[in-house]
Amino acid sequence: MKLSIVYSNEDKKGGSSSDNNSKKRKRNTSSQQLKPLFPKLVVFDLDKTLWNCFVYESFPHQSFQKSKVPGEAYAVYKNSNSINKNRKLRLYPDIIQILDDLTMKNIPLGICSSSPSLLHAKNALESLQIYDYFQPNLIIVKPSNNGKVDHLKNLLTLYNKHYCNVNNTNNKTTTNVKKKLNYKDILFFDDMWFNVKKLKNQGVYSIKVNPDIGVNFKLYHDSLKKYKERMNSSNIMFNFFTRKKKR
């Protein structure tokens, strides 16, 4: 969005330096208010969040093959390699629309799942034709005794390693433009209260998903809105106390 700035005759002639400084401050403030405060990373659980089953338990000893419809995959029996058209894995209805919207907003996507097999989960994601929406180095699929706390901690490390790394070039230190990721920068969706509560205590903006309907567009839209409101409120408080200290 472009800012439209109207100058008076005095501005065109130069005006006083204090007036000009005041106008610059106002324009900077307006720019900051217009800047969307999206999360730096959105993370999804898999089972009962993106799709409506526990995939490893529901499709044991089976792989998947994509169908003509994105968001649907056929079960394939490993011994015979035959497709069972009566057995399908399906995404919840709004998932692809949500992933498209996040991609349009240029927000990286990650996965944290306690499913026991990364290869099985990856095959499901590829067959459902959504694997490419996610950053491959931000996918963690493994059991954990500590819920998703360890998963998110690892994701934080991986994100900062791959996207905020520091390199030395000709004795000069160059850092990736992105700032280091903190827990408060993450929006996380999961169907289990245990995980949601634990990660909220860590500062992650965690959303409880209804396992019967998964992440729908309304939940996603409302969560994004509330996240931005929280960050706006946090920035206002930070600026208030910063100005107070300077006085």
Side-chain angles (χ1 to χ4, degrees):
M1 183 182 293
K2 294 182 179 179
L3 293 177
S4 178
I5 303 168
V6 179
Y7 295 97
S8 66
N9 290 331
E10 186 180 7
D11 294 328
K12 292 176 181 177
K13 293 176 182 177
S16 65
S17 59
S18 60
D19 288 342
N20 288 335
N21 289 335
S22 176
K23 290 182 177 67
K24 286 179 182 177
R25 282 196 298 272
K26 287 179 180 177
R27 290 198 293 273
N28 289 337
T29 303
S30 299
S31 299
Q32 290 170 2
Q33 289 172 347
L34 289 170
K35 185 179 179 181
L37 295 170
F38 293 124
K40 293 180 183 177
L41 176 66
V42 175
V43 180
F44 294 91
D45 176 38
L46 293 178
D47 298 336
K48 298 289 185 174
T49 301
L50 293 187
W51 49 63
N52 65 346
C53 66
F54 294 97
V55 69
Y56 191 78
E57 291 79 4
S58 299
F59 296 89
H61 312 298
Q62 296 176 52
S63 59
F64 300 98
Q65 183 173 314
K66 68 181 180 181
S67 72
K68 294 179 180 179
V69 181
E72 287 187 1
Y74 296 118
V76 178
Y77 294 105
K78 290 184 179 179
N79 295 334
S80 63
N81 287 327
S82 61
I83 295 173
N84 185 348
K85 292 192 175 182
N86 295 320
R87 292 273 289 157
K88 286 183 181 180
L89 175 66
R90 289 185 177 91
L91 294 174
Y92 287 112
D94 294 345
I95 295 300
I96 291 179
Q97 183 186 2
I98 291 166
L99 298 179
D100 278 333
D101 192 64
L102 286 165
T103 302
M104 290 277 289
K105 290 177 169 60
N106 201 30
I107 300 174
L109 306 179
I111 289 171
C112 283
S113 171
S114 296
S115 189
S117 173
L118 172 61
L119 289 177
H120 192 264
K122 183 181 178 184
N123 173 236
L125 291 163
E126 288 175 335
S127 301
L128 291 164
Q129 303 175 57
I130 62 169
Y131 180 79
D132 290 340
Y133 284 101
F134 299 92
Q135 303 296 323
N137 47 17
L138 297 180
I139 296 176
I140 297 179
V141 179
K142 62 180 180 179
S144 171
N145 294 327
N146 199 22
K148 301 295 171 62
V149 173
D150 293 337
H151 289 65
L152 263 290
K153 185 178 180 182
N154 290 335
L155 264 191
L156 210 64
T157 302
L158 289 169
Y159 182 99
N160 290 331
K161 177 183 177 182
H162 290 284
Y163 299 101
C164 307
N165 57 321
V166 179
N167 300 311
N168 290 321
T169 307
N170 297 328
N171 297 323
K172 292 181 180 180
T173 302
T174 58
T175 309
N176 195 302
V177 174
K178 292 185 178 180
K179 293 182 179 179
K180 282 197 171 184
L181 190 74
N182 295 306
Y183 283 123
K184 67 178 179 63
D185 302 317
I186 301 173
L187 174 60
F188 174 65
F189 293 92
D190 196 290
D191 66 296
M192 298 185 69
W193 267 120
F194 173 77
N195 293 321
V196 170
K197 185 176 179 181
K198 276 207 159 191
L199 287 168
K200 276 187 176 179
N201 292 337
Q202 297 291 324
V204 177
Y205 195 74
S206 306
I207 304 299
K208 169 70 170 67
V209 176
N210 182 340
D212 294 328
I213 59 176
V215 185
N216 59 22
F217 201 84
K218 183 180 186 308
L219 177 66
Y220 157 71
H221 182 267
D222 291 347
S223 301
L224 211 58
K225 182 181 177 182
K226 288 176 182 176
Y227 177 90
K228 290 190 285 185
E229 287 172 354
R230 185 182 78 154
M231 293 303 292
N232 270 320
S233 176
S234 176
N235 287 345
I236 289 169
M237 293 299 292
F238 175 80
N239 291 333
F240 173 78
F241 285 110
T242 302
R243 287 197 300 271
K244 201 169 182 181
K245 284 181 181 179
K246 288 181 179 179
R247 288 175 182 174

